[in-house]
Amino acid sequence: MSTTTTPTQNPIAATDPEIWQLVDAESKRQATTLEMIASENHVSAAVMAAMGSCLTNKYAEGYPGRRYYSGTGFYDEIEQLAIDRACELFSCKFANVQPHSGANANFAAFLALMQPGDTFMSVVLSEGGHLTHGSPVNVSGLWFKPVHYPLVKDESRKDCGYIDYDEVARLAKECKPKIIMCGYSAYPRTIDFKRFREIADSCGALLVSDIAHIAGLVAAGVHPTPFGHAHVVTTTTHKTLRGPRGGLIMTNDPELAKAINKAVFPGCQGGPLMHIIAAKAVSFGEALKPQFKDYAKRIVANGKALAAALTKRGQKLSSGGTDNHLVLVDLRPNFPDLTGKQAATWLENAGIVTNMNTVPNEQRSPLQTSGVRLGTPALTTRGFNESHMDQIAGWIDRVLRSNGNEATAKTIRADIAALCAKFPMPH
Ligand code: DSN
C-alpha cells in the first residue's frame, strides 16, 4: 500500500472508511519506521496489484489442465508460468506453487514423506528452528516425533552458535530419522547442505531443506543452493524472495513431486489462492532479473555491516556475526535484566521494528526471551546501504543503553522519520 494513495483514490476509503483509516495508518507506519524484522519485506507495486486483482474471485481446485471447475483456462496459464519461473529461478525440475504459507508447505512435505509417528530431525524452535519443525503445539510435533540436533554451545569454540554437524551425524545414526530438516528462522550462518546430505545418506533419511529465510539469497546465488543435496526444498515466498505471503515446495525427483502434489491438494488444501499464485509469478519474474542479484548481494553486505557496527559498539551477537540477512543480538552479557520483549518495545518506540527472539541456551520463556532478531531485507529494498547500517546500529545501541528513556526514543524516532522520508517505499 503506497502512502501516495489518497483516500479518495482508494475504493476501501469510499466503502469502508473505518478499515481504510487503519490501512492508511499502517501504510504511514511502514513508511516512517525502519522495518528490521528479518522475515519481512516490502513488495513491488506489481506484486501488490496481482494480489488485489480479479483472480481472487475464482475457484481453481486441481492443477493446470486438471481442474474441477470451468472457466480456469487463464488460471492454468498463470499457474504454469509461476511453476516454470520457480523452476528457472532455483534450477530445479518440479515446483508446487499452491501452499498458502510456509507452514502449509512444511506440513504438505511431511504428509508426502512420512507416516504419523515417524521420526525426523530438526533444530528446536528456541535455538532458531521453526514452529513447524516439531514444536509440541504444532502438527509436526503432535503427529510426528522430532529429535532436535543442537548448535555448538561451548563459548571457547570458534564455531559457537553454529550447527553442531558432528552431533547431527551422531544423532542421525542413533535415531534413524525418516527426514532430516535443515533451514531455520533465526540462524545467521551459511548452511552446509553437502554435509547434511552426507549425513542423510549415512542413515537412509531424506533431506528436506526449509529455505524460507534465505530463498532470495539462494535464488540470487549469494547463499549456496540446497539443490543437488536436498530431496525436497520448502520455502515461503515473502521474505528475502520479496513476493506475496505464501509457500512453495520444490524437488528434482518425479516420484516425490507426485507425492507432494497429492499432499498439497487434496491432502491439506482446497482451492488455491490464484491471486497470490499470480503475485508469486510476478515476484519470481522480478527475481529472475539481474537487478535482483544485486539486491540480494546488498542484503548480505548490509547484514555484515550491521553486525560489524553492533559488535564495534560492544553488543554481543549469537555466533559472533552473520553470513546472511539476519543478526541475533544476545542481550545477556550487556543487559542481564533486560528481556527481548522489553528491548523490542523500546526499539519500536524509537521507530526500529524488530522482534524478540530466543537465543541459544535460552533460560527465559519464548514470551520474554533474551535476544532481539534483526534483518536487512526490507531496509535494503528501500535503498539503505552499509553507511546507514552504522547509523542504525548506533541508534539501536543508544536505545538499549538508554534503559528505555522516552526522550531518547523520541529524538531517535524523529531522526528516523527524517531519514525514511529520503527512502520512499517501492511503488
Ligand atoms: N514467522 C517467521 C519468522 O519470523 O521467521 C517464520 O515463519
Side-chain angles (χ1 to χ4, degrees):
M1 190 62 57
S2 148
T3 44
T4 56
T5 311
T6 61
T8 46
Q9 288 170 317
N10 195 294
I12 309 172
T15 60
D16 194 334
E18 208 179 351
I19 285 291
W20 172 254
Q21 199 191 7
L22 295 169
V23 174
D24 196 44
E26 167 59 8
S27 157
K28 291 192 174 96
R29 183 194 70 81
Q30 289 186 18
T32 55
T33 56
L34 297 175
E35 180 47 74
M36 296 190 72
I37 292 179
S39 50
E40 295 185 9
N41 212 329
H42 304 300
V43 299
S44 70
V47 169
M48 192 90 78
M51 287 190 269
S53 69
C54 66
L55 303 173
T56 193
N57 292 337
K58 194 79 192 90
Y59 257 121
E61 275 162 306
Y63 288 104
R66 292 177 286 132
R67 305 282 186 190
Y68 290 81
Y69 291 81
S70 299
T72 48
F74 299 126
Y75 296 85
D76 284 0
E77 290 188 51
I78 288 166
E79 185 166 348
Q80 196 55 53
L81 269 171
I83 292 168
D84 293 345
R85 289 179 185 176
C87 290
E88 187 182 345
L89 192 57
F90 290 98
S91 301
C92 66
K93 293 194 181 126
F94 304 97
N96 187 307
V97 296
Q98 292 195 4
H100 300 330
S101 67
N104 283 30
N106 284 340
F107 181 48
F110 278 27
L111 204 58
L113 308 177
M114 291 196 283
Q115 296 296 317
D118 279 348
T119 298
F120 70 100
M121 283 176 58
S122 64
V123 163
V124 71
L125 177 60
S126 59
E127 294 200 353
H130 191 253
L131 183 73
T132 59
H133 297 185
S135 160
V137 292
N138 181 263
V139 67
S140 57
L142 289 165
W143 287 9
F144 305 95
K145 281 196 207 133
V147 171
H148 295 303
Y149 55 85
L151 306 181
V152 173
K153 304 276 172 34
D154 180 350
E155 296 272 348
S156 69
R157 273 176 62 171
K158 244 177 74 190
D159 58 354
C160 182
Y162 286 61
I163 302 292
D164 190 338
Y165 290 94
D166 292 339
E167 228 358 60
V168 181
R170 192 191 65 74
L171 281 168
K173 284 218 167 81
E174 190 177 288
C175 74
K176 301 215 178 333
K178 203 73 171 277
I179 285 178
I180 298 178
M181 296 284 292
C182 58
Y184 318 97
S185 56
Y187 188 62
R189 294 300 180 180
T190 300
I191 302 167
D192 188 344
F193 295 119
K194 182 170 175 286
R195 181 85 199 271
F196 266 112
R197 177 58 187 261
E198 285 162 7
I199 296 171
D201 285 347
S202 78
C203 65
L206 292 171
L207 185 63
V208 179
S209 182
D210 177 349
I211 59 166
H213 263 264
I214 54 169
L217 310 184
V218 169
V222 301
H223 186 289
T225 178
F227 288 99
H229 306 296
H231 297 90
V232 172
V233 176
T234 63
T235 185
T236 53
T237 48
H238 49 271
K239 298 185 175 99
T240 47
L241 195 48
R242 209 166 54 184
R245 305 194 75 78
L248 171 66
I249 313 179
M250 295 167 284
T251 182
N252 279 323
D253 181 313
E255 289 311 310
L256 292 180
K258 271 190 220 155
I260 287 162
N261 283 349
K262 234 172 98 183
V264 173
F265 173 82
C268 64
Q269 288 190 177
L273 308 176
M274 293 310 302
H275 55 311
I276 300 297
I277 290 174
K280 287 176 186 173
V282 173
S283 67
F284 300 159
E286 289 174 355
L288 282 163
K289 295 201 172 115
Q291 302 91 289
F292 192 83
K293 261 194 180 32
D294 178 56
Y295 165 61
K297 274 189 200 146
R298 286 186 292 111
I299 292 178
V300 176
N302 279 343
K304 286 181 187 293
L306 179 67
L310 287 165
T311 304
K312 182 175 86 181
R313 289 170 171 85
Q315 297 296 336
K316 164 97 183 334
L317 307 184
S318 182
S319 87
T322 187
D323 298 327
N324 56 32
H325 64 298
L326 187 153
V327 172
L328 189 56
V329 181
D330 185 342
L331 298 166
R332 293 171 298 191
N334 288 318
F335 315 97
D337 299 326
L338 179 60
T339 63
K341 184 181 166 72
Q342 184 65 76
T345 304
W346 291 351
L347 289 166
E348 185 177 359
N349 292 342
I352 302 168
V353 186
T354 65
N355 65 279
M356 62 172 154
N357 215 99
T358 47
V359 286
N361 277 329
E362 181 63 77
Q363 300 298 315
R364 292 191 171 107
S365 90
L367 290 172
Q368 294 297 327
T369 81
S370 303
V372 176
R373 190 184 65 163
L374 308 170
T376 54
L379 294 184
T380 309
T381 291
R382 286 184 80 169
F384 291 106
N385 63 31
E386 287 152 271
S387 70
H388 301 115
M389 296 306 126
D390 191 56
Q391 192 175 14
I392 292 167
W395 283 325
I396 293 172
D397 186 67
R398 258 174 73 197
V399 170
L400 294 180
R401 294 186 194 283
S402 76
N403 204 23
N405 183 281
E406 283 177 23
T408 305
K410 204 170 157 199
T411 308
I412 293 175
R413 193 176 179 112
D415 288 347
I416 285 176
L419 179 68
C420 284
K422 296 187 199 148
F423 294 90
M425 301 289 277
H427 295 301

